[in-house]
Every structure is written in C-alpha cells, then in structure tokens.
Amino acid sequence: MNISLQALWQDTRDEGSVRQRLHQVLRQSIIRMVLAPGQALSEKEIAETFAVSRQPVREAFIRLSEAGLVEVRPQRGTYVVRISRQAVLEARFVREAVEVAVAREAAECGLAPRTLGELNELIERQRNCIEPQDHDRFFLLDEAFHRALALGTGHTTAWRVTEDVKAQLDRVRYLSIPDSTPILKLTDQHQAIVDAIAARDPDLAARAMGLHQQEILQSLPELMRRFPEMFETQQTPSLVAEASP
C-alpha cells in the first residue's frame, strides 16, 4: 500500500500545502481503489507513511467524510465507504446537467483557439493510451479534458461544484474504464463533443455531451454484478427508469 500511496504523493508535489496534498492523495487513492471500499484507515499509519503529524490526517478524514468517501465511527475507527448506487446516480445527474450546459454554451459562444487546441491535444494523448491500455493515464486525461472545457468557458465555480459531488461517481468511472467502457469509445465521444463545439452547433454539442454522461448508466449494473463487495448492499429501484428518455 505504501508504495502506491507514495507514488500518488509524488504526483501531487506541486499542489500546495501538506494538508492539500494529503487530502488529494487520499481522495485519489480511494477513487483509484488503492484504498478499497470497506478498508479500515489508520490515522497513525498514514501519518507515518507521509512523515506528517496526525492533525492533517484527521482534517483529511473529515473532508473525505463530507464527500461521502469515508465514514468516521467514534471509538471504532475510520473506514472507506462502499460505493452507494444512489449517490452515483445523483452525482451523474448533477454532472450531466452542468456539463451539457457548458458544452451548449461553448458551442453558442465559441471557444478560444487556445482552448480548442488544448482539448484536441488532450484527445490525442488519450488515443495514445488505447494500444498500451494505460487506464490510469487515461483516467487522469479524461479528468483534464472535462476540467479544461469547464474552465475554458469561464465556469470555474461550476467545475468546483461538480468536483465536490462526483467522488462516488469517479470510483465507478475508474472501475468501468478497463472493460465496461473501452478507452476508444470514450475518446471518440470526447472528439464528437469538441467537433460539435468547433462547428458552433449547440444542439449537437449538448447531445454529444449528454450521451457521454449517460455512458455510466450502461456500465453500472455490470460493475455491481462483478464487484459486489465494493457496493452497498441495500435494494434499490431498477436503473431502467433512470436510463429511459
């Protein structure tokens, strides 16, 4: 565990204070299954791993709890929560609403050539992940693509709001990339979004983004069957109603 966590720590070396880095590392380690659903977290062990005091670890646990990623049980410990299907669906709904609006506005108002260039460069880098099946690299590039689009339209706050609510969704996205949702398919969807924006076609851009955001509805049932230990066990309504137009 320590080697993987240390690699994530190195990846965040330019991201601010120790508190910010620690929170980001733990968040990413949960999303990318370095810390598995149901796993107990030791405040002392994590502090020793990163050679920090226990206070920033405690603060990170609180922030992760607020994001729905960990549960702090008084006198019993802190645990990575299992994935909540309902939280995933709610986050997907919010993300689709925001990002469809962003794509539509980008097509209506146009994007700066620099932003369009950045988006196309990210897509090209995503295509370079296809043959080696570099899922981890693609996941980071996918996140960078959506962030660049939101910031390129001036919607920094909208991106922050989306980022705050999508932690549970991100775990499912990460699980889905190896098999359920191939990299090639997601990359082609990104290209369709950018092409519609470049063509200044708001309706097409909105449809392309909506289709992309609904992809998770196709993979979620399969992932729940394949990885039951990662999901909460309560019975919930069928996904069919959510997926229907």
Side-chain angles (χ1 to χ4, degrees), residues 119-235:
L119 293 171
N120 279 308
E121 180 184 350
L122 286 166
I123 290 171
E124 186 60 32
R125 291 166 67 187
Q126 290 165 16
R127 293 198 186 282
N128 292 336
C129 296
I130 295 171
E131 187 173 339
Q133 289 293 292
D134 191 343
H135 306 123
D136 279 289
R137 182 63 177 161
F138 176 83
F139 184 80
L140 295 176
L141 291 169
D142 178 75
E143 191 78 354
F145 174 87
H146 289 277
R147 180 178 184 274
L149 180 55
L151 271 54
T153 55
H155 290 299
T156 304
T157 300
W159 172 254
R160 288 175 181 166
V161 169
T162 304
E163 195 170 31
D164 286 344
V165 301
K166 70 185 182 71
Q168 291 269 29
L169 174 62
D170 283 347
R171 291 204 283 177
V172 175
R173 287 173 54 228
Y174 185 80
L175 274 178
S176 74
I177 288 173
D179 312 296
S180 303
T181 313
I183 293 174
L184 175 59
K185 184 176 185 180
L186 293 172
T187 303
D188 285 345
Q189 289 176 351
H190 288 164
Q191 190 68 65
I193 294 165
V194 172
D195 288 347
I197 291 170
R200 303 293 294 270
D201 189 330
D203 290 340
L204 184 58
R207 284 197 302 272
M209 180 63 82
L211 179 67
H212 181 59
Q213 294 299 333
Q214 291 172 22
E215 190 67 41
I216 202 70
L217 296 175
Q218 309 304 317
S219 58
L220 182 55
E222 178 188 349
L223 293 170
M224 292 177 70
R225 286 192 295 269
R226 289 178 56 197
F227 305 105
E229 72 282 0
M230 295 188 178
F231 289 85
E232 292 181 352
T233 56
Q234 66 263 31
Q235 296 297 314

Side-chain angles (χ1 to χ4, degrees), residues 3-66:
I3 294 175
S4 296
L5 287 176
Q6 287 288 4
L8 288 171
W9 181 257
Q10 289 302 315
D11 286 345
T12 62
R13 59 187 176 275
D14 298 323
E15 294 192 13
S17 69
V18 168
R19 285 176 169 79
Q20 291 171 320
R21 289 180 67 192
L22 187 59
H23 170 259
Q24 182 67 8
V25 166
L26 293 177
R27 187 180 189 277
Q28 283 297 313
S29 67
I30 292 171
I31 288 170
R32 295 159 72 176
M33 305 297 169
V34 176
L35 300 174
Q39 182 173 337
L41 301 179
S42 165
E43 186 179 293
K44 179 176 181 291
E45 179 183 343
I46 290 174
E48 290 175 349
T49 296
F50 299 113
V52 299
S53 71
R54 295 174 69 164
Q55 181 60 31
V57 179
R58 194 171 300 121
E59 292 174 3
F61 283 176
I62 292 171
R63 291 183 64 186
L64 294 168
S65 176
E66 292 170 348

